[in-house]
Structures are given as structure tokens and as C-alpha cells.
Amino acid sequence: MSSLPWSTPEAQGLATAALDSFVAALDASDQEIQTLMLLRHGQVVLAEEWAPYRRADRHMLFSVSKSFTSMAIGLLVEAGQLSLDDQVISFFDADDLPATVSDNLAAMRIRHLLTMTTGHSQDTVERLSRDRRMVRIFLGLEVEEEPGTLFVYNSGATYMLSAILQKVTGERLLDYLRPRLFEPLGATEAIWDVSREGINTGGWGLSLSTESLAKFGQLLLQRGEWEGRQLLPAEWIDAATSRQVPNDNEDKVDWRQGYGFQFWRARHNTYRGDGAFGQYCVVFPEQDASLIITSASPDMQATLDIVWEHLLPAFEGATGDGTKRPPRLEIVPPKGAVPTGNGRTYRFEPNQAMLKAVRLDADGTGTFTFAVEGQGEQDVVCAPGDWRELTDELTDPPARLVTSAYADGDAFVATFRYLETPFVVTMTCRTDGEAMTIEGLNNVGFGPARFTLRSR
């Protein structure tokens, strides 16, 4: 059960029919929506989940994480433990710093990390991931421009904020925020990735439930006040969600409305935290509302366009375009013929899919053996029909996973949906004498969408 108060849309000045049209538009779009919550005047007026996804599950938020890191920095500033004008290099010893500190690196301040104006000409995150000592790599990179003069989206900058917080407090970012933010909100399910050098990643890696993210959106609307307690500094929230720097060099219209302290400004006087593949916490100060969406979106601007077209008019009294919402919101498993197999096990060399072996049986089931170093092995069964649910034991903590299968000609097609992420993997398996070839497809991701595996 939700711990947020619920209301009818009409009691909060919205027409149910307008919200139905909004949901229908999202459902009909190419942006795979997984969960949704809308709050108005502090009340939940819309809450949806597209089966098999659930609002109560943790969901990987990607760069929405940055907005939480911003709040932690605001708490340190309020406590006098940090200043926006502190030099970045002042927090690190000689072992982390380059032999020669450039003028631009010396000029880099906390505010430049917060506003993505570090002076780097491109995001640093991919270069940081090449070695365990990410802080040392960041500080060793060339700072091509004077800090403060150029906006370049930079997840590595947020990682450095997390590293600095850990230096100042002696705690990891998640541990610092637990008693100050997550526990008061009831978001005790929060987990956050840790780098190989033992630092919460800051700019990504946070997982929360849809409802916990909705509470965060409401907390922002309330300028940090929650159930009679001031959890976050009101002045910091005002500053963090305001336009601190221009970002006209961004491509998409809702990504060039200005940037705050780890928040994007957007059209219609809104702001948001957002994450890759369609994770949103959109705040509407003028309408006293917040919208949470988790999804596997190939086009994040397209989702916001639907919000502006269908939800904004609802705040102004519109009753929708008459489109009825679907009777059931769901993502159905792919359908096809019942597959068959020969019962033989095909084994694979170590690969990007972490697939060790596949066995296709005559009853139409396929058993896929995955192996993760340090985590062990797990057999995952795919079969025709409805989604088959199991627990992915190779993640930490274990997470929900559903699978399905069907035949496409001579191919066995297996689908794996990792429900606490946006990720879906499809494997099309064909046997040819002694070998199996798998054509793989990732629905979204940071690398190539397609891959090929061949058994040994």
C-alpha cells in the first residue's frame, strides 16, 4: 500500500478523462512506459504500472541520481563543511593530483562540478571507467577551457562530488543520505552502485521505487519540508532548481532551457531530474504537481512532448481528447509458434552477454545458463506463453526477471526482461549441425544494440 495520500483527480482540479487521454497517449507511443505517478497538491491522482512492471519495485534511475547528489552537497554547504567556491583540488592529496596542476584545473570549484562547467570539452565518465582510480584519472585529464565558461554534460563531475563528500564526511554518499533523506521519506529500499575505489558513483547508480521518487518530487515542491521536518535547505532547493548556467549547445529543446545544480530546466517553467532511457522526476511549481515516469524510451524528448501536449492542458481544465485508456496496461510477451529443440547443450566462451550455455528441449523450453564472475551461475528457463517470472540471483541484491520464448521459423527466440531496469535482451538462437549461433538485441544501452555469439 502507498504511504502517500491519494485523491480523486477532480478533487485536485483535474478531469479523470484528461488523465485517461494522457495515459492512452503514453501507451500508444513508441516510448515503452513502465510505471507512472502524478501528484497534485500533495495527493496521488494517477498511479499506473504496465505489467509485469510494478511501482513498488526498485528501478535503476541513471542520472536522476545526480539530483540526489546535489541535495547531499546542499546539506554540507548548510552545515558549513563545504563552500561552492572551494577548489576541487583542495580535497585531494598529492597521490591523486597530477605532477603539474594546470591553471584551469586549479580554477575548478565545487560550483563548476554542480553546474557541469568544469572546462572539459566532453563528458569524462567513459575515460574514468578505464581504471579503478577514477578520482586520479579525472584530476589528470586535460581541462581544455576555463571552468565556468562552457556547459558540457559530465557525469564524471558528479562522481567527483560524491568523492569529495566522502572525503569531508568519512561516509559514502548513500550512508550520508540515509538518515537525512531516505529514511525520513520511507525510501529504505535505496541502493547505490559503488565504484572499484569504494565511492558511490554519484552521477548514476541509484535505484529507488517509483513511489520513493514521487516523494522526492513532492519534497522538492515543499522546498525540503517533510512531515514537519526541514530535511533539506529551502534556499538550496531554490538555487539547485533554478537556471544557474546557459546550455544552448544541447540538441533537444527541453535540454537547452538552462541547467541548475544537477537539475535540468525545461519548458513551461518546469524543472526535472532525468536519467537515461526515460527516467523522469518532472516538477511543475506553478501547478503544484510532480510527475514520475520510469520507462525504456528511445527518445526522451518525445515523452516530454506527450506531457506538454496532454498533461499541461489538464492542469488548465481540459477534459482530454476523448481517447479512452486501455482496459489493461501491460507489455505482452512476443507471440509465435511453439519452439522445439534437440535437448543438446551448446557452450560458449566468455562473452558480453555472460551466457555460458544453452539447451533447447523438445517441450519448447530453453534453458540459458548465465555466469557472472564472483556471483556464480544461474539457469534461466524461457518458455512459450505468459511471462515466466523468476529472481535474477546474479545481481546484488537479487532482482525480478521475466522471460518468454517463441519460434520464428527455425529460430528459438528468447526474451529476457530485467524488471528493475529498462533493459530487455532478445536472443534469436539457430542451430547448424554441431554449433549454435545467437543473434542478440539489446532494446536500449550505451553500447552496440546487436551482438553475435557462436558456440564453441
PDB file of all heavy atoms in Angstrom, residues 160-187:
ATOM      1  N   MET A 160      32.834  13.127  -8.872  1.00  0.00           N
ATOM      2  CA  MET A 160      33.772  13.869  -8.030  1.00  0.00           C
ATOM      3  C   MET A 160      33.070  14.512  -6.839  1.00  0.00           C
ATOM      4  O   MET A 160      33.653  14.617  -5.748  1.00  0.00           O
ATOM      5  CB  MET A 160      34.499  14.917  -8.869  1.00  0.00           C
ATOM      6  CG  MET A 160      35.426  14.320  -9.919  1.00  0.00           C
ATOM      7  SD  MET A 160      36.738  13.297  -9.210  1.00  0.00           S
ATOM      8  CE  MET A 160      37.737  14.564  -8.403  1.00  0.00           C
ATOM      9  N   LEU A 161      31.831  14.951  -7.010  1.00  0.00           N
ATOM     10  CA  LEU A 161      31.076  15.472  -5.862  1.00  0.00           C
ATOM     11  C   LEU A 161      30.896  14.385  -4.810  1.00  0.00           C
ATOM     12  O   LEU A 161      31.027  14.642  -3.606  1.00  0.00           O
ATOM     13  CB  LEU A 161      29.721  15.995  -6.324  1.00  0.00           C
ATOM     14  CG  LEU A 161      29.721  17.279  -7.157  1.00  0.00           C
ATOM     15  CD1 LEU A 161      28.333  17.542  -7.730  1.00  0.00           C
ATOM     16  CD2 LEU A 161      30.201  18.469  -6.328  1.00  0.00           C
ATOM     17  N   SER A 162      30.598  13.168  -5.255  1.00  0.00           N
ATOM     18  CA  SER A 162      30.460  12.055  -4.316  1.00  0.00           C
ATOM     19  C   SER A 162      31.786  11.765  -3.623  1.00  0.00           C
ATOM     20  O   SER A 162      31.836  11.517  -2.415  1.00  0.00           O
ATOM     21  CB  SER A 162      29.956  10.810  -5.058  1.00  0.00           C
ATOM     22  OG  SER A 162      29.830   9.711  -4.185  1.00  0.00           O
ATOM     23  N   ALA A 163      32.876  11.815  -4.384  1.00  0.00           N
ATOM     24  CA  ALA A 163      34.200  11.571  -3.806  1.00  0.00           C
ATOM     25  C   ALA A 163      34.547  12.641  -2.778  1.00  0.00           C
ATOM     26  O   ALA A 163      35.114  12.340  -1.708  1.00  0.00           O
ATOM     27  CB  ALA A 163      35.250  11.537  -4.914  1.00  0.00           C
ATOM     28  N   ILE A 164      34.224  13.883  -3.068  1.00  0.00           N
ATOM     29  CA  ILE A 164      34.503  14.980  -2.135  1.00  0.00           C
ATOM     30  C   ILE A 164      33.672  14.838  -0.872  1.00  0.00           C
ATOM     31  O   ILE A 164      34.168  15.022   0.251  1.00  0.00           O
ATOM     32  CB  ILE A 164      34.276  16.337  -2.828  1.00  0.00           C
ATOM     33  CG1 ILE A 164      35.383  16.571  -3.860  1.00  0.00           C
ATOM     34  CG2 ILE A 164      34.215  17.484  -1.819  1.00  0.00           C
ATOM     35  CD1 ILE A 164      35.130  17.727  -4.805  1.00  0.00           C
ATOM     36  N   LEU A 165      32.388  14.501  -1.022  1.00  0.00           N
ATOM     37  CA  LEU A 165      31.551  14.276   0.157  1.00  0.00           C
ATOM     38  C   LEU A 165      32.158  13.196   1.047  1.00  0.00           C
ATOM     39  O   LEU A 165      32.187  13.332   2.279  1.00  0.00           O
ATOM     40  CB  LEU A 165      30.128  13.890  -0.267  1.00  0.00           C
ATOM     41  CG  LEU A 165      29.171  13.585   0.877  1.00  0.00           C
ATOM     42  CD1 LEU A 165      27.766  14.101   0.577  1.00  0.00           C
ATOM     43  CD2 LEU A 165      29.087  12.093   1.209  1.00  0.00           C
ATOM     44  N   GLN A 166      32.649  12.126   0.433  1.00  0.00           N
ATOM     45  CA  GLN A 166      33.238  11.038   1.213  1.00  0.00           C
ATOM     46  C   GLN A 166      34.505  11.504   1.932  1.00  0.00           C
ATOM     47  O   GLN A 166      34.758  11.111   3.071  1.00  0.00           O
ATOM     48  CB  GLN A 166      33.522   9.841   0.301  1.00  0.00           C
ATOM     49  CG  GLN A 166      33.885   8.563   1.045  1.00  0.00           C
ATOM     50  CD  GLN A 166      33.722   7.335   0.166  1.00  0.00           C
ATOM     51  OE1 GLN A 166      32.800   7.245  -0.640  1.00  0.00           O
ATOM     52  NE2 GLN A 166      34.627   6.389   0.328  1.00  0.00           N
ATOM     53  N   LYS A 167      35.301  12.360   1.273  1.00  0.00           N
ATOM     54  CA  LYS A 167      36.485  12.918   1.909  1.00  0.00           C
ATOM     55  C   LYS A 167      36.101  13.782   3.124  1.00  0.00           C
ATOM     56  O   LYS A 167      36.735  13.733   4.177  1.00  0.00           O
ATOM     57  CB  LYS A 167      37.268  13.765   0.910  1.00  0.00           C
ATOM     58  CG  LYS A 167      38.036  12.980  -0.138  1.00  0.00           C
ATOM     59  CD  LYS A 167      39.372  12.509   0.410  1.00  0.00           C
ATOM     60  CE  LYS A 167      40.231  11.932  -0.691  1.00  0.00           C
ATOM     61  NZ  LYS A 167      41.558  11.491  -0.179  1.00  0.00           N
ATOM     62  N   VAL A 168      35.044  14.578   2.964  1.00  0.00           N
ATOM     63  CA  VAL A 168      34.654  15.530   4.007  1.00  0.00           C
ATOM     64  C   VAL A 168      34.008  14.836   5.203  1.00  0.00           C
ATOM     65  O   VAL A 168      34.280  15.177   6.362  1.00  0.00           O
ATOM     66  CB  VAL A 168      33.704  16.593   3.418  1.00  0.00           C
ATOM     67  CG1 VAL A 168      33.082  17.457   4.522  1.00  0.00           C
ATOM     68  CG2 VAL A 168      34.444  17.468   2.417  1.00  0.00           C
ATOM     69  N   THR A 169      33.155  13.849   4.928  1.00  0.00           N
ATOM     70  CA  THR A 169      32.350  13.239   5.988  1.00  0.00           C
ATOM     71  C   THR A 169      32.886  11.905   6.491  1.00  0.00           C
ATOM     72  O   THR A 169      32.497  11.459   7.575  1.00  0.00           O
ATOM     73  CB  THR A 169      30.912  13.005   5.494  1.00  0.00           C
ATOM     74  OG1 THR A 169      30.920  12.006   4.460  1.00  0.00           O
ATOM     75  CG2 THR A 169      30.302  14.298   4.961  1.00  0.00           C
ATOM     76  N   GLY A 170      33.716  11.250   5.688  1.00  0.00           N
ATOM     77  CA  GLY A 170      34.145   9.906   6.050  1.00  0.00           C
ATOM     78  C   GLY A 170      33.093   8.857   5.775  1.00  0.00           C
ATOM     79  O   GLY A 170      33.275   7.688   6.131  1.00  0.00           O
ATOM     80  N   GLU A 171      31.998   9.253   5.119  1.00  0.00           N
ATOM     81  CA  GLU A 171      30.916   8.328   4.787  1.00  0.00           C
ATOM     82  C   GLU A 171      30.689   8.307   3.280  1.00  0.00           C
ATOM     83  O   GLU A 171      30.906   9.318   2.601  1.00  0.00           O
ATOM     84  CB  GLU A 171      29.601   8.772   5.436  1.00  0.00           C
ATOM     85  CG  GLU A 171      29.548   8.735   6.929  1.00  0.00           C
ATOM     86  CD  GLU A 171      28.167   9.152   7.421  1.00  0.00           C
ATOM     87  OE1 GLU A 171      27.924  10.369   7.527  1.00  0.00           O
ATOM     88  OE2 GLU A 171      27.330   8.265   7.677  1.00  0.00           O
ATOM     89  N   ARG A 172      30.210   7.180   2.806  1.00  0.00           N
ATOM     90  CA  ARG A 172      29.746   7.151   1.423  1.00  0.00           C
ATOM     91  C   ARG A 172      28.473   7.975   1.289  1.00  0.00           C
ATOM     92  O   ARG A 172      27.721   8.168   2.257  1.00  0.00           O
ATOM     93  CB  ARG A 172      29.486   5.710   0.976  1.00  0.00           C
ATOM     94  CG  ARG A 172      30.738   4.900   0.744  1.00  0.00           C
ATOM     95  CD  ARG A 172      30.409   3.477   0.353  1.00  0.00           C
ATOM     96  NE  ARG A 172      31.625   2.705   0.097  1.00  0.00           N
ATOM     97  CZ  ARG A 172      31.672   1.389   0.011  1.00  0.00           C
ATOM     98  NH1 ARG A 172      30.559   0.672   0.157  1.00  0.00           N
ATOM     99  NH2 ARG A 172      32.816   0.764  -0.228  1.00  0.00           N
ATOM    100  N   LEU A 173      28.217   8.417   0.083  1.00  0.00           N
ATOM    101  CA  LEU A 173      27.059   9.260  -0.208  1.00  0.00           C
ATOM    102  C   LEU A 173      25.754   8.623   0.253  1.00  0.00           C
ATOM    103  O   LEU A 173      24.918   9.289   0.885  1.00  0.00           O
ATOM    104  CB  LEU A 173      27.030   9.526  -1.721  1.00  0.00           C
ATOM    105  CG  LEU A 173      25.862  10.297  -2.312  1.00  0.00           C
ATOM    106  CD1 LEU A 173      25.733  11.671  -1.694  1.00  0.00           C
ATOM    107  CD2 LEU A 173      26.042  10.415  -3.828  1.00  0.00           C
ATOM    108  N   LEU A 174      25.546   7.350  -0.043  1.00  0.00           N
ATOM    109  CA  LEU A 174      24.301   6.695   0.364  1.00  0.00           C
ATOM    110  C   LEU A 174      24.171   6.655   1.880  1.00  0.00           C
ATOM    111  O   LEU A 174      23.100   6.933   2.429  1.00  0.00           O
ATOM    112  CB  LEU A 174      24.238   5.285  -0.221  1.00  0.00           C
ATOM    113  CG  LEU A 174      23.013   4.451   0.171  1.00  0.00           C
ATOM    114  CD1 LEU A 174      21.717   5.131  -0.242  1.00  0.00           C
ATOM    115  CD2 LEU A 174      23.100   3.046  -0.440  1.00  0.00           C
ATOM    116  N   ASP A 175      25.255   6.322   2.567  1.00  0.00           N
ATOM    117  CA  ASP A 175      25.201   6.266   4.032  1.00  0.00           C
ATOM    118  C   ASP A 175      24.945   7.644   4.625  1.00  0.00           C
ATOM    119  O   ASP A 175      24.253   7.777   5.643  1.00  0.00           O
ATOM    120  CB  ASP A 175      26.509   5.691   4.580  1.00  0.00           C
ATOM    121  CG  ASP A 175      26.723   4.242   4.178  1.00  0.00           C
ATOM    122  OD1 ASP A 175      25.707   3.530   3.991  1.00  0.00           O
ATOM    123  OD2 ASP A 175      27.889   3.820   4.032  1.00  0.00           O
ATOM    124  N   TYR A 176      25.497   8.672   4.001  1.00  0.00           N
ATOM    125  CA  TYR A 176      25.258  10.041   4.469  1.00  0.00           C
ATOM    126  C   TYR A 176      23.795  10.429   4.305  1.00  0.00           C
ATOM    127  O   TYR A 176      23.194  11.070   5.185  1.00  0.00           O
ATOM    128  CB  TYR A 176      26.166  10.999   3.689  1.00  0.00           C
ATOM    129  CG  TYR A 176      26.003  12.451   4.067  1.00  0.00           C
ATOM    130  CD1 TYR A 176      26.601  12.973   5.202  1.00  0.00           C
ATOM    131  CD2 TYR A 176      25.235  13.310   3.274  1.00  0.00           C
ATOM    132  CE1 TYR A 176      26.449  14.310   5.558  1.00  0.00           C
ATOM    133  CE2 TYR A 176      25.077  14.647   3.606  1.00  0.00           C
ATOM    134  CZ  TYR A 176      25.681  15.137   4.750  1.00  0.00           C
ATOM    135  OH  TYR A 176      25.518  16.464   5.101  1.00  0.00           O
ATOM    136  N   LEU A 177      23.203  10.053   3.174  1.00  0.00           N
ATOM    137  CA  LEU A 177      21.820  10.461   2.900  1.00  0.00           C
ATOM    138  C   LEU A 177      20.778   9.587   3.589  1.00  0.00           C
ATOM    139  O   LEU A 177      19.626  10.015   3.732  1.00  0.00           O
ATOM    140  CB  LEU A 177      21.561  10.457   1.391  1.00  0.00           C
ATOM    141  CG  LEU A 177      22.097  11.658   0.596  1.00  0.00           C
ATOM    142  CD1 LEU A 177      21.808  11.492  -0.885  1.00  0.00           C
ATOM    143  CD2 LEU A 177      21.522  12.973   1.113  1.00  0.00           C
ATOM    144  N   ARG A 178      21.128   8.383   3.993  1.00  0.00           N
ATOM    145  CA  ARG A 178      20.106   7.501   4.587  1.00  0.00           C
ATOM    146  C   ARG A 178      19.367   8.168   5.745  1.00  0.00           C
ATOM    147  O   ARG A 178      18.138   8.293   5.700  1.00  0.00           O
ATOM    148  CB  ARG A 178      20.735   6.181   5.027  1.00  0.00           C
ATOM    149  CG  ARG A 178      20.852   5.167   3.923  1.00  0.00           C
ATOM    150  CD  ARG A 178      21.004   3.757   4.462  1.00  0.00           C
ATOM    151  NE  ARG A 178      21.347   2.821   3.405  1.00  0.00           N
ATOM    152  CZ  ARG A 178      20.491   2.313   2.529  1.00  0.00           C
ATOM    153  NH1 ARG A 178      19.210   2.664   2.594  1.00  0.00           N
ATOM    154  NH2 ARG A 178      20.887   1.468   1.608  1.00  0.00           N
ATOM    155  N   PRO A 179      20.043   8.585   6.800  1.00  0.00           N
ATOM    156  CA  PRO A 179      19.288   9.162   7.926  1.00  0.00           C
ATOM    157  C   PRO A 179      18.756  10.558   7.649  1.00  0.00           C
ATOM    158  O   PRO A 179      17.806  11.002   8.307  1.00  0.00           O
ATOM    159  CB  PRO A 179      20.323   9.179   9.057  1.00  0.00           C
ATOM    160  CG  PRO A 179      21.641   9.285   8.359  1.00  0.00           C
ATOM    161  CD  PRO A 179      21.480   8.502   7.087  1.00  0.00           C
ATOM    162  N   ARG A 180      19.337  11.242   6.695  1.00  0.00           N
ATOM    163  CA  ARG A 180      18.971  12.635   6.438  1.00  0.00           C
ATOM    164  C   ARG A 180      17.864  12.788   5.400  1.00  0.00           C
ATOM    165  O   ARG A 180      17.156  13.783   5.402  1.00  0.00           O
ATOM    166  CB  ARG A 180      20.210  13.415   5.980  1.00  0.00           C
ATOM    167  CG  ARG A 180      21.287  13.516   7.037  1.00  0.00           C
ATOM    168  CD  ARG A 180      22.594  14.048   6.475  1.00  0.00           C
ATOM    169  NE  ARG A 180      23.588  14.275   7.521  1.00  0.00           N
ATOM    170  CZ  ARG A 180      24.391  13.341   8.013  1.00  0.00           C
ATOM    171  NH1 ARG A 180      24.309  12.094   7.531  1.00  0.00           N
ATOM    172  NH2 ARG A 180      25.249  13.639   8.969  1.00  0.00           N
ATOM    173  N   LEU A 181      17.737  11.808   4.500  1.00  0.00           N
ATOM    174  CA  LEU A 181      16.772  11.931   3.413  1.00  0.00           C
ATOM    175  C   LEU A 181      15.977  10.647   3.192  1.00  0.00           C
ATOM    176  O   LEU A 181      14.754  10.655   3.268  1.00  0.00           O
ATOM    177  CB  LEU A 181      17.491  12.319   2.117  1.00  0.00           C
ATOM    178  CG  LEU A 181      16.627  12.451   0.864  1.00  0.00           C
ATOM    179  CD1 LEU A 181      15.589  13.560   1.044  1.00  0.00           C
ATOM    180  CD2 LEU A 181      17.482  12.726  -0.370  1.00  0.00           C
ATOM    181  N   PHE A 182      16.658   9.547   2.922  1.00  0.00           N
ATOM    182  CA  PHE A 182      15.943   8.337   2.513  1.00  0.00           C
ATOM    183  C   PHE A 182      15.073   7.763   3.623  1.00  0.00           C
ATOM    184  O   PHE A 182      13.913   7.412   3.384  1.00  0.00           O
ATOM    185  CB  PHE A 182      16.936   7.289   2.001  1.00  0.00           C
ATOM    186  CG  PHE A 182      17.595   7.664   0.709  1.00  0.00           C
ATOM    187  CD1 PHE A 182      18.978   7.746   0.606  1.00  0.00           C
ATOM    188  CD2 PHE A 182      16.837   7.967  -0.419  1.00  0.00           C
ATOM    189  CE1 PHE A 182      19.587   8.094  -0.588  1.00  0.00           C
ATOM    190  CE2 PHE A 182      17.433   8.322  -1.620  1.00  0.00           C
ATOM    191  CZ  PHE A 182      18.820   8.390  -1.699  1.00  0.00           C
ATOM    192  N   GLU A 183      15.587   7.654   4.819  1.00  0.00           N
ATOM    193  CA  GLU A 183      14.778   7.087   5.900  1.00  0.00           C
ATOM    194  C   GLU A 183      13.593   7.974   6.272  1.00  0.00           C
ATOM    195  O   GLU A 183      12.472   7.464   6.453  1.00  0.00           O
ATOM    196  CB  GLU A 183      15.662   6.774   7.107  1.00  0.00           C
ATOM    197  CG  GLU A 183      16.586   5.588   6.860  1.00  0.00           C
ATOM    198  CD  GLU A 183      17.556   5.340   7.997  1.00  0.00           C
ATOM    199  OE1 GLU A 183      17.522   6.110   8.991  1.00  0.00           O
ATOM    200  OE2 GLU A 183      18.357   4.391   7.894  1.00  0.00           O
ATOM    201  N   PRO A 184      13.752   9.296   6.413  1.00  0.00           N
ATOM    202  CA  PRO A 184      12.569  10.132   6.666  1.00  0.00           C
ATOM    203  C   PRO A 184      11.493  10.015   5.588  1.00  0.00           C
ATOM    204  O   PRO A 184      10.298  10.118   5.887  1.00  0.00           O
ATOM    205  CB  PRO A 184      13.142  11.545   6.736  1.00  0.00           C
ATOM    206  CG  PRO A 184      14.561  11.362   7.146  1.00  0.00           C
ATOM    207  CD  PRO A 184      14.997  10.092   6.498  1.00  0.00           C
ATOM    208  N   LEU A 185      11.906   9.792   4.340  1.00  0.00           N
ATOM    209  CA  LEU A 185      10.933   9.627   3.259  1.00  0.00           C
ATOM    210  C   LEU A 185      10.354   8.214   3.213  1.00  0.00           C
ATOM    211  O   LEU A 185       9.416   7.956   2.448  1.00  0.00           O
ATOM    212  CB  LEU A 185      11.585   9.940   1.905  1.00  0.00           C
ATOM    213  CG  LEU A 185      11.974  11.381   1.615  1.00  0.00           C
ATOM    214  CD1 LEU A 185      12.582  11.490   0.216  1.00  0.00           C
ATOM    215  CD2 LEU A 185      10.781  12.330   1.753  1.00  0.00           C
ATOM    216  N   GLY A 186      10.907   7.294   3.974  1.00  0.00           N
ATOM    217  CA  GLY A 186      10.475   5.904   3.899  1.00  0.00           C
ATOM    218  C   GLY A 186      11.068   5.179   2.710  1.00  0.00           C
ATOM    219  O   GLY A 186      10.595   4.108   2.322  1.00  0.00           O
ATOM    220  N   ALA A 187      12.145   5.740   2.130  1.00  0.00           N
ATOM    221  CA  ALA A 187      12.774   5.156   0.942  1.00  0.00           C
ATOM    222  C   ALA A 187      13.921   4.244   1.367  1.00  0.00           C
ATOM    223  O   ALA A 187      15.069   4.393   0.913  1.00  0.00           O
ATOM    224  CB  ALA A 187      13.262   6.259   0.014  1.00  0.00           C
TER     225      ALA A 187
END
